[in-house]
């Protein structure tokens, strides 16, 4: 914006008011930049964005890892009717239900996928909130073996 500088007091007031407003705005910006609460809020926002992105990528990696188990011939998965697709897991917002057979080698592979997920995503599986279900006719000895392997309640 161009101003004509005249000796008129009205023009001088307009220019003066414009510069006072500009200096006031710049002062607010500079103060905001050095205000620790502003910086902390900005850093926290960036952390949240990074965490959310990491969570989404980690969830996708976990999902792909569990899906890859179904393609391995040595993996004994959850039994479904012959023409149905193999189900390895159901993923929700921040929960996962994993379907597996009680085969020890297959469960070790599932646990290895969970360990990789924990190491790569820096997110831990909460063993206090995790659990497993078994057939009612499974022997107590077999349940003890599963309990040691899975380390869940």
């Amino acid at each position: 914006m161009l101003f004509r500088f005249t000796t008129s007091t009205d023009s001088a007031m307009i220019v003066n008011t414009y510069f006072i407003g500009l200096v006031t705005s710049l002062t607010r910006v500079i103060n905001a930049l050095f205000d620790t609460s502003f910086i902390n809020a900005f850093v926290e926002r960036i952390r949240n964005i990074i965490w959310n992105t990491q969570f989404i990528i980690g969830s996708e990696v976990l999902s792909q890892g569990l899906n890859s188990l179904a393609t391995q011939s040595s993996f004994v998965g959850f039994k479904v009717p012959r023409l149905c697709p193999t189900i390895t897991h159901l993923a929700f917002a921040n929960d996962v239900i994993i379907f597996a057979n009680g085969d020890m080698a297959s469960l070790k592979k599932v646990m290895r996928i969970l360990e990789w997920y924990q190491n790569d995503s820096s997110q831990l599986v909460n063993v206090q909130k995790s659990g497993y279900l078994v057939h009612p006719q499974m022997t107590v000895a077999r349940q003890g073996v599963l309990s040691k392997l899975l380390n869940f309640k």
Side-chain angles (χ1 to χ4, degrees):
M1 177 181 258
L2 297 174
F3 291 98
R4 292 177 73 193
F5 293 93
T6 63
T7 56
S8 158
T9 56
D10 290 340
S11 296
M13 280 183 54
I14 291 172
V15 170
N16 217 5
T17 304
Y18 174 77
F19 283 116
I20 288 173
L22 182 65
V23 168
T24 303
S25 296
L26 287 174
T27 303
R28 287 182 186 150
V29 169
I30 290 168
N31 286 339
L33 289 175
F34 292 102
D35 180 14
T36 57
S37 63
F38 172 80
I39 293 171
N40 290 341
F42 179 75
V43 168
E44 187 62 29
R45 179 73 178 134
I46 296 299
R47 280 187 189 141
N48 287 338
I49 291 169
I50 291 170
W51 186 88
N52 289 335
T53 303
Q54 186 179 18
F55 177 78
I56 291 167
I57 292 170
S59 297
E60 184 62 27
V61 168
L62 175 62
S63 182
Q64 293 296 322
L66 292 170
N67 284 336
S68 73
L69 292 175
T71 63
Q72 298 176 16
S73 61
S74 61
F75 179 76
V76 180
F78 185 74
K79 296 295 182 194
V80 294
R82 188 169 43 109
L83 298 175
C84 294
T86 304
I87 298 173
T88 57
H89 68 286
L90 294 175
F92 300 96
N94 58 354
D95 293 318
V96 177
I97 298 174
I98 299 172
F99 297 97
N101 187 300
D103 177 64
M104 294 304 283
S106 297
L107 289 175
K108 285 180 183 178
K109 289 181 180 188
V110 169
M111 294 306 291
R112 192 175 315 124
I113 296 287
L114 290 176
E115 288 171 13
W116 288 342
Y117 169 74
Q118 291 180 99
N119 292 334
D120 292 345
S121 70
S122 299
Q123 297 177 14
L124 299 177
V125 174
N126 187 341
V127 295
Q128 302 300 325
K129 294 182 178 180
S130 300
Y132 60 94
L133 299 173
V134 297
H135 192 277
Q137 294 178 355
M138 182 180 275
T139 65
V140 175
R142 178 80 171 140
Q143 289 181 28
V145 171
L146 288 178
S147 179
K148 287 180 184 176
L149 173 69
L150 300 175
N151 197 27
F152 297 152
K153 60 179 181 175

